[in-house]
Amino acid sequence: PAEAREFGSALEILIASYDDVFSPPRRVIEALEAAVARLAMTSMPAVLQHGDLGIWNILAGERTPPLGILDWENADHSGIPLWDLFVFARTFGIFMADSAGVRYGPSVFTKQLLEPGPLHSALVAGTARYCSALGISEEVVTDLFSLCWVQQAIREAATMPRPSWDSGRNNRYLEASLAQPFRLEAKYPES
C-alpha cells in the first residue's frame, strides 16, 4: 500500500519534468496538475511495473497462453497501477493497425482506445478487473490513463534529438486523452 501523498509527490515530480522537457501549453499543465491533485487524495497500492510492456516483451508459444514477460530493465517495484495495462493496449493497437496497413497516430489511438470498439471494450473490461482485484477506485482511472502518456513522453524524450511539444507522439496521445477521456462507463453520444 502507498499513501496518497506518496503518489501525489511522485506525480508532481513527473509533471515538473514533463513541463521542463516539453514546455506544453499551459492548459495541458493545468489539466495534469488537476489530475495529480485528485489522485493525491486517493490511496492506491504501488505495483510492480514493467515499464515497457508491449507485445514484443511477451514470450508466447504456439497455441498456449503466454509463457512469460521479458525485458525487465525498466521495472519499478513502486510503480503506478494500470500504466502497464494501458501501454500494452496501445502497443497491441499499433500491432493491429500495422496488420491492417494503417499508420498509427492520434486518430487511430482515439478510435481504438477511447471510442467504442473491440480494443476499447477489452481495455475497459481489463481495467475494471484490475481495479476490482487491487481495490482501486474506478474514479481514478481517467486521470491515471492521461498521466500514463506523460510518463511515456518522458521516456520517448530520451530518444529524440530535440524533444519538443510538437514532435512527441505520446504528447498527441495525451492530448487525445484530455480531449476525450478514457472512462469505464460508456458516456458516448448516441449514433
Side-chain angles (χ1 to χ4, degrees), residues 2 18 35 44 65 76 90 108 180:
Y18 183 69
M44 291 177 269
D76 185 351
R90 189 213 49 218
V108 176
Q180 185 172 334

Side-chain angles (χ1 to χ4, degrees), residues 90-133:
R90 189 213 49 218
T91 64
F92 190 79
I94 292 169
F95 172 77
M96 289 172 51
D98 286 349
S99 295
V102 175
R103 184 165 189 229
Y104 197 85
S107 63
V108 176
F109 173 90
T110 298
K111 183 174 175 56
Q112 289 179 337
L113 299 182
L114 302 174
E115 296 176 355
L119 187 52
H120 178 265
S121 295
L123 182 57
V124 165
T127 301
R129 283 192 306 273
Y130 189 120
C131 288
S132 177

Side-chain angles (χ1 to χ4, degrees), residues 11-38 143 146-147 150-151 153-154 165 171 174-175 178:
L11 293 171
E12 285 171 1
I13 292 167
L14 179 70
I15 299 307
S17 297
Y18 183 69
D19 194 13
D20 287 345
V21 171
F22 289 105
S23 299
R26 189 74 207 139
R27 65 179 168 72
V28 172
I29 291 298
E30 289 170 358
L32 297 173
E33 288 171 343
V36 169
R38 287 187 294 272
D143 291 331
S146 294
L147 289 166
V150 171
Q151 188 254 0
I154 293 289
W165 170 250
N171 294 330
L174 169 60
E175 271 192 313
L178 292 174

Side-chain angles (χ1 to χ4, degrees), residues 56-75:
W56 52 82
N57 285 328
I58 303 292
L59 180 61
E62 241 180 89
R63 297 188 183 113
T64 64
L67 303 172
I69 298 174
L70 308 171
D71 195 16
W72 287 89
E73 81 271 359
N74 293 311

